[in-house]
Amino acid sequence: MTSLEGQGASAGVPPVHVSVLSQEVLALLCGEPGERERLAGWFVDATLGAGGHTQLILSACPGLRVLGIDQDPQILEIARDRLASFGDRVRLCHGRASQLATILDAQALPAPQGMLLDLGVSSLQLDRPERGFAFHADGPLDMRMDPTRTRTAADIVNHWDEADLADLFFHEGGETRARRIAHAIVEARRRQPFLRTGALAELIARAAPSGGKHHPATRAFQALRRAVNEEGEELIAALEAAEQCLADDGRLAVISFHSGEDGVVKRYFARGNRAGRWRTLTKKPVVASRAEVRANRRSRSASLRAAVRLKLARGSEVAAQPGGAQPEDDA
Ligand SMILES: C[S@@+](CC[C@H](N)C(=O)[O-])C[C@H]1O[C@@H](n2cnc3c(N)ncnc32)[C@H](O)[C@@H]1O
């Protein structure tokens, strides 16, 4: 999900994580109701979160089992409770989507029949100030989804040079006032390093106030989160891992909340189509209905794409190329 969505319940996001495009994901990964009964084998939910999509898949497809992966151990525990009633039909693992091949190997699981990537951050992470993602509530300037990562947002804010910070805010956040914000940060940190989200958000609001509906720090915070968690690199590596690991005719569905990410997925599938490695199932991205957007504001910037991994593809891996960073949709 995108951080241009509000941060926490105060901005209209429900306090629990509500899965987006659930029925659309189910239809693309598992087919129509009659087909779901006949599915067997393993699926991978490589960004498990609170397990909402996995719960739906397990309920709808009695012959399926799901390997759930998340890089955030706290979130994994929430999913463990939620999915406990499915017993050994679900297996959970701390790790990154990009590590899929290693994880499947370690778990001695066969090639999965389907995989979901629901990218970005969970409401459960945004709503906990102590995780350092939120600018509406003060917390440590952290933003790591995976606590085994060593670099925090504070490391970037206090140590990157001004030009690199400006590039980051522009390319990863679509922030047009990137240079002004970077300059203000570099000036302010000479006096005192930034350790808290509140101090950084206040500085940005003073340096680059905005009259828009979003908090002035929204885009800079998104850019920092993407850098801390290496979200761009992770996406490309996860797509390649899916191509390498999925069973023949296995399906991959990707939900992105960032126009740059959606572009990467679109081009990856388009190249795969041309090379006979993938068959795209979605000519255009599937987006949330008005009713879903009304019920869950977070869904308004979601784009879903899906494709089938073709049999001929085996052994013809071609590295994905990033499609160039684009500013995020403001929707
Ligand atoms: C948008 S939430 C997923 C919500 C989930 N689909 C649901 O219905 O509850 C994204 C989750 O993916 C995790 N995540 C993001 N990138 C990841 C990656 N590259 N590898 C593993 N987990 C990742 C985050 O920690 C977060 O918990």
Side-chain angles (χ1 to χ4, degrees):
M1 60 179 280
T2 173
S3 63
L4 280 186
E5 297 147 10
Q7 297 225 358
S10 60
V13 177
V16 290
H17 186 93
V18 180
S19 307
V20 303
L21 295 167
S22 295
Q23 292 303 326
E24 292 84 351
V25 165
L26 188 63
L28 282 165
L29 282 182
C30 308
E32 295 306 313
E35 299 168 61
R36 295 172 198 171
E37 301 286 321
R38 295 193 293 274
L39 288 176
W42 283 89
F43 266 38
V44 175
D45 186 342
T47 51
L48 181 72
H53 287 107
T54 283
Q55 185 176 34
L56 189 68
I57 289 169
L58 287 168
S59 303
C61 311
L64 279 185
R65 303 172 79 185
V66 175
L67 169 68
I69 300 171
D70 203 293
Q71 60 180 333
D72 185 334
Q74 281 188 13
I75 300 278
L76 216 45
E77 288 316 304
I78 294 170
R80 195 180 301 286
D81 281 352
R82 181 180 195 170
L83 301 171
S85 62
F86 293 101
D88 68 358
R89 289 183 61 208
V90 63
R91 207 179 282 185
L92 304 187
C93 194
H94 176 237
R96 299 189 193 144
S98 56
Q99 298 164 334
L100 178 64
T102 314
I103 295 171
L104 287 172
D105 210 32
Q107 298 279 332
L109 293 179
Q113 309 290 325
M115 172 162 158
L116 173 63
L117 286 170
D118 179 11
L119 301 169
V121 67
S122 163
S123 307
L124 297 167
Q125 292 160 326
L126 282 178
D127 289 345
R128 292 182 176 179
E130 70 273 17
R131 302 299 305 273
F133 292 100
F135 44 74
H136 283 300
D138 189 38
L141 194 49
D142 191 322
M143 300 196 192
R144 287 170 302 165
M145 293 185 208
D146 183 345
T148 67
R149 283 187 188 278
T150 50
R151 190 176 65 182
T152 65
D155 293 327
I156 294 175
V157 168
N158 293 316
H159 298 297
W160 282 24
D161 71 27
E162 190 174 323
D164 288 343
L165 281 175
D167 283 352
L168 174 69
F169 297 150
F170 179 73
H171 291 296
E172 295 294 331
E175 175 54 84
T176 52
R177 303 154 313 155
R179 290 194 187 291
R180 211 190 313 165
I181 294 172
H183 183 69
I185 288 174
V186 170
E187 286 297 307
R189 77 186 186 198
R190 285 191 224 283
R191 297 186 290 279
Q192 198 172 16
F194 287 95
L195 300 175
R196 310 284 299 176
T197 55
L200 181 62
E202 272 172 41
L203 183 275
I204 295 173
R206 276 202 309 279
S210 80
K213 57 186 169 158
H214 296 301
H215 187 287
T218 305
R219 290 171 180 271
F221 268 56
Q222 170 188 282
L224 286 167
R225 188 205 82 211
R226 288 182 54 75
V228 167
N229 296 290
E230 300 182 296
E231 293 180 30
E233 296 86 338
E234 260 298 311
L235 171 58
I236 290 169
L239 292 170
E240 290 175 342
E243 184 168 320
Q244 182 195 342
C245 297
L246 276 174
D248 293 338
D249 297 324
R251 292 178 172 213
L252 171 65
V254 187
I255 304 173
S256 51
F257 294 84
H258 179 282
S259 60
E261 276 181 345
D262 182 54
V264 169
V265 179
K266 176 182 169 180
R267 285 185 291 276
Y268 191 84
F269 283 158
R271 276 197 301 274
N273 254 305
R274 286 195 296 275
R277 302 195 307 272
W278 291 94
R279 178 167 55 80
T280 306
L281 297 171
T282 46
K283 274 200 176 129
K284 287 189 183 315
V286 178
V287 295
S289 65
R290 277 197 207 158
E292 179 171 1
V293 173
R294 266 200 304 275
N296 179 12
R297 228 175 124 231
R298 202 170 52 78
S299 67
R300 71 196 184 286
S301 47
S303 297
L304 166 64
R305 295 184 187 269
V308 179
R309 170 73 162 90
L310 298 177
K311 197 173 179 178
L312 287 178
R314 207 65 57 201
S316 62
E317 276 77 28
V318 175
Q321 290 156 18
Q326 298 168 24
E328 176 165 350
D329 288 337
D330 204 326

